[in-house]
Amino acid sequence: MMNIEINHAIAARARAGESLTEAELAELDSTDVLSLGMLADEVRRARTGTAVTYTRVFEPGPETDAPSLAAMAARGVEIRLALTAASLDEAASRIAHVRKASGPDARLTGFSLADLSARGWAPIGQVLAALRSAGLDAIADAPVDAVTSAEVDAVAAAGLGLGALSVRGVPDQRVTLVLKARAALAGRPWVSAFAPLSREQSVSAPTTGYHDVRMVALARLGLPAVSAIQVDWQQYGPKLAQVALTFGASHLDRVSPFDDTALGSRRGSVEEVRRNIVAAGFTPASPGTSA
Amino acid sequence: MSHTLAELQTRIETGGRLGAAEALFLYRSAPTWWLGGMADLVRRRKHPDGVVTYIIDRNVNYTNVCVARCNFCAFYRPVGHGEGYVLSFDEIFRKIDETLALGGAQLLLQGGHNPDLPLAWYEDLFRAVKARYPALKLHALSPPEVLHLSRMSRLEVPHVIARLVAAGLDSIPGGGAEILVDRVRKLLNCYGKASADEWLDVMRQAHRAGLRTTATMMYGTVESDEERLEHMLRLRAVQDETGGFTAFIAWSYQPEHTERGGAEATGIEYLRTLALARLVLDNFDNLQASWVTQGGKVGQLSLAFGANDMGSVMIEENVVRAAGAAYCMDEVEIVRHVEDAGFIAKRRSMHYEILGNPIIRERELPRQLALATARADGDTSVPAELASYPARSAAGKRQRSQPRSPVA
Ligand code: SF4
């Protein structure tokens, strides 16, 4: 086998699932991208084997009718709401409407915790409790660079789940983000996924492939407490998402609920997602709502 | 024959050559990390200066009218089709002016096999371009186009090449290679435009005439792993013979809007194929990253899997876009991706001579967030100069007797 050009002591600690220091993470971040990816892949395989899970997500618009929602729910597709409401009452009423149409067993998620907090409708605990009682199962994501630990705790206190910790801004400090995620995960075993690639991208200067796969690898190596490292299939596209699987990612989020390849590869069928997983040397696991 | 990775690693590290069975074993069985690491080692050996090159040129498709009808192609229009076009000399001059303004020094000129464009049209175009832009390089006409002109003009390939060179041709792009195995070419309906031997022979003749060319591979249709390798090995053999190839460029078949349809090969498959090419094509100095088919992100990651060149800024692209991919990288983006990966970005010529540092370090250029197209949608104008050339097809003859007709 090839030699990993990485400090052996750090690699050994990563393999043992130990918590790497900031300096160790920075050293990993400065190593060559192939060696970093190889180590992250090894750690990920030791942890979760070759399984790759994925979540099919339907994001209804205001015009989506009740039968469509019911049909999606019946197929086990997660229904994820965007934050378009102008008030808490409107948001709650929208959730109640979608819950009624999709049925009690539907997995109904939505919103970014940072957006809810920024709305300032009420103290965040009250907002989350209202959404929960309207029928929401989980908050879709909580960006570690935009929310506080107290806000994350408020999610659990309201009886809601959390899809994933995430990253919002255009990051330049990968290690800082991993450390923020680690702080957000500490003492919160109910958070099972981290999506390390930014939800926002500059049009004129998007993040690079090297940045993205380094971020994924560092997240896998720096966050032994979290079971799944997620990549958004629609946002990052099949090529980067697939490559990310070989750098430590183990879950593909926002896979299309439609099986129509005419929609293009970013919204392609589950068959295409599974084909990409297999071609990367992994095994597609049953669709799940979490990894 | 059985191999171990350790044995083959030693072979690669010591500069030894891989045989077909060994290469196939690696392609099928070596871990992706191993392939990437070995390809990176070979790239570093060939390019120890850490330079990654790119060229500023424009990819102009002078016509989309084509009689070849390759079933993987979403770009062509049959003779007489309402969306068929031929660019006028003036349109091409405008594109050159825009290219020069962006620091470009070359035109990549390729098109369909249009039966109504005789050899004289190409010669006149090349002469007109060289008269107006003496320093501009013409990287033009892939082997099947040369062969098409040879058949239409009933002149031998070396003769056609000599006439094109006399008119201003500087080098030949390696398009139309697809997979250089006739079984595959027949299935793709591209055997007629050029068999594997014919494609290679055009390149051999071009190299003998003193031209440098590139070589390409479009994989991911009907070929087997063995046939991908056969393609590479045939290129390696010609390169041993002539040394005329400057670079190898692989890209995945883009299926959208094609007659063949199907699915595109994945990003990992691209990186593995690229890495394998770096190991097998030991007599090629340069491997391009195909960001136009893989996107900027995987295009950049290609630099870790054996590529040492980011290809072209392109400015314009029509063929891949017709098949569904629409990635764009202007010079700012190419340089940013090269430097972010830890390399030094340098502009180059088609001959891979370093031309200098990025233009954007010298002057501000307008950002280009989308590639241009050959023509604006709905533009059905017919170049006036076409009337001076004889058409062969019935539709072409009709159109030339009515020069304002919207059919090109
Ligand atoms: S690939 Fe070229 S030769 Fe084949 S149909 Fe398209 S334009 Fe014609």
Side-chain angles (χ1 to χ4, degrees), chain B residues 64 66-70 72-76 111-113 144 178 190 193:
Chain B
N64 65 346
C66 189
V67 290
R69 296 178 170 234
C70 308
F72 56 83
C73 177
F75 167 70
Y76 82 90
H113 299 190
E178 330 313 354
C190 67
K193 76 175 180 185

Side-chain angles (χ1 to χ4, degrees), chain A residues 190-253:
Chain A
W190 53 277
V191 181
S192 61
F194 177 51
L197 301 185
S198 176
R199 304 269 157 157
E200 288 176 6
Q201 287 278 311
S202 155
V203 176
S204 58
T207 56
T208 65
Y210 269 62
H211 165 84
D212 291 350
V213 297
R214 278 187 182 280
M215 188 70 224
V216 167
L218 280 182
R220 182 61 287 163
L221 295 170
L223 301 172
V226 76
S227 63
I229 301 298
Q230 273 190 12
V231 177
D232 186 314
W233 177 266
Q234 283 191 42
Q235 184 182 356
Y236 282 87
K239 291 188 192 293
L240 192 279
Q242 186 206 28
V243 174
L245 295 178
T246 65
F247 280 78
S250 57
H251 183 88
L252 298 170
D253 188 34

Side-chain angles (χ1 to χ4, degrees), chain B residues 7-16 18 26 34 38-39 41-42 45 279:
Chain B
E7 281 166 14
L8 295 176
Q9 179 167 339
T10 305
R11 175 96 55 85
I12 293 162
E13 282 171 349
T14 53
L18 293 176
L26 291 182
W34 190 96
M38 288 291 100
L41 182 147
V42 175
R45 192 162 62 211
L279 301 181

Side-chain angles (χ1 to χ4, degrees), chain A residues 20-241:
Chain A
L20 302 179
T21 65
E22 182 173 355
E24 287 171 327
L25 286 167
E27 188 169 337
L28 287 179
D29 196 20
S30 64
T31 197
D32 78 276
V33 75
L34 289 178
S35 297
L36 178 65
M38 196 164 151
L39 179 63
D41 187 50
E42 185 189 337
V43 166
R44 170 254 198 274
R45 284 173 194 265
R47 179 168 182 131
T48 53
T50 61
V52 171
T53 50
Y54 56 92
T55 305
R56 302 187 79 175
V57 174
F58 178 58
E59 295 164 305
E63 72 294 341
T64 306
D65 58 21
S68 303
L69 288 164
M72 287 292 168
R75 290 167 50 213
V77 170
E78 176 179 322
I79 296 167
R80 193 174 294 175
L81 299 172
L83 189 54
T84 53
S87 67
L88 180 55
D89 284 349
E90 191 185 327
S93 125
R94 169 96 175 119
I95 291 167
H97 168 77
V98 172
R99 168 59 72 197
K100 189 170 171 213
S102 53
D105 296 330
R107 166 93 176 154
L108 179 54
T109 69
F111 320 127
S112 171
L113 184 59
D115 292 338
L116 286 173
S117 179
R119 289 289 199 275
W121 286 329
I124 193 69
Q126 271 179 41
V127 170
L128 293 166
L131 301 181
R132 174 75 189 124
S133 63
L136 194 71
D137 290 320
I139 295 297
D141 76 278
V144 294
D145 51 343
V147 299
T148 63
S149 297
E151 287 169 329
V152 175
D153 285 335
V155 173
L160 288 162
L162 178 62
L165 288 172
S166 62
V167 170
R168 165 157 291 188
V170 177
D172 48 11
Q173 292 295 321
R174 290 183 283 267
V175 170
T176 305
L177 284 169
V178 170
L179 294 175
K180 280 185 177 171
R182 186 186 290 170
L185 286 161
R188 299 178 184 87
W190 53 277
V191 181
S192 61
F194 177 51
L197 301 185
S198 176
R199 304 269 157 157
E200 288 176 6
Q201 287 278 311
S202 155
V203 176
S204 58
T207 56
T208 65
Y210 269 62
H211 165 84
D212 291 350
V213 297
R214 278 187 182 280
M215 188 70 224
V216 167
L218 280 182
R220 182 61 287 163
L221 295 170
L223 301 172
V226 76
S227 63
I229 301 298
Q230 273 190 12
V231 177
D232 186 314
W233 177 266
Q234 283 191 42
Q235 184 182 356
Y236 282 87
K239 291 188 192 293
L240 192 279

Side-chain angles (χ1 to χ4, degrees), chain B residues 192-326:
Chain B
K193 76 175 180 185
S195 68
D197 283 346
E198 285 172 325
W199 191 97
L200 289 162
D201 200 50
V202 171
M203 287 312 202
R204 206 177 267 118
Q205 300 298 343
H207 296 166
R208 283 186 189 147
L211 295 183
R212 305 298 302 276
T213 76
T214 54
T216 67
M217 174 168 98
M218 182 198 71
Y219 66 92
T221 54
V222 297
E223 79 285 353
S224 62
D225 293 346
E226 286 90 341
E227 287 166 332
R228 290 181 192 180
L229 262 170
E230 187 178 337
H231 177 99
M232 292 182 195
L233 292 170
R234 296 204 71 184
L235 290 174
R236 187 170 82 178
V238 172
Q239 182 75 332
D240 277 343
E241 196 184 315
T242 68
F245 291 118
T246 54
F248 175 76
I249 310 135
W251 63 78
S252 53
Y253 161 58
Q254 303 292 305
E256 278 188 45
H257 311 127
T258 65
E259 183 188 330
R260 167 155 294 281
E264 186 188 348
T266 68
I268 292 283
E269 212 171 339
Y270 172 74
L271 294 174
R272 290 183 66 89
T273 304
L274 179 73
L276 187 79
R278 180 50 99 189
L279 301 181
V280 171
L281 297 176
D282 52 10
N283 51 4
F284 278 66
D285 285 341
N286 303 297
L287 251 68
Q288 281 188 21
S290 178
W291 59 261
V292 76
T293 59
Q294 305 303 309
K297 291 177 189 248
V298 174
Q300 184 200 33
L301 286 164
S302 304
L303 301 178
F305 284 79
N308 67 299
D309 185 88
M310 284 295 275
S312 159
V313 167
M314 273 193 192
I315 305 172
E316 171 176 335
E317 205 290 320
N318 303 285
V319 177
V320 173
R321 176 201 302 261

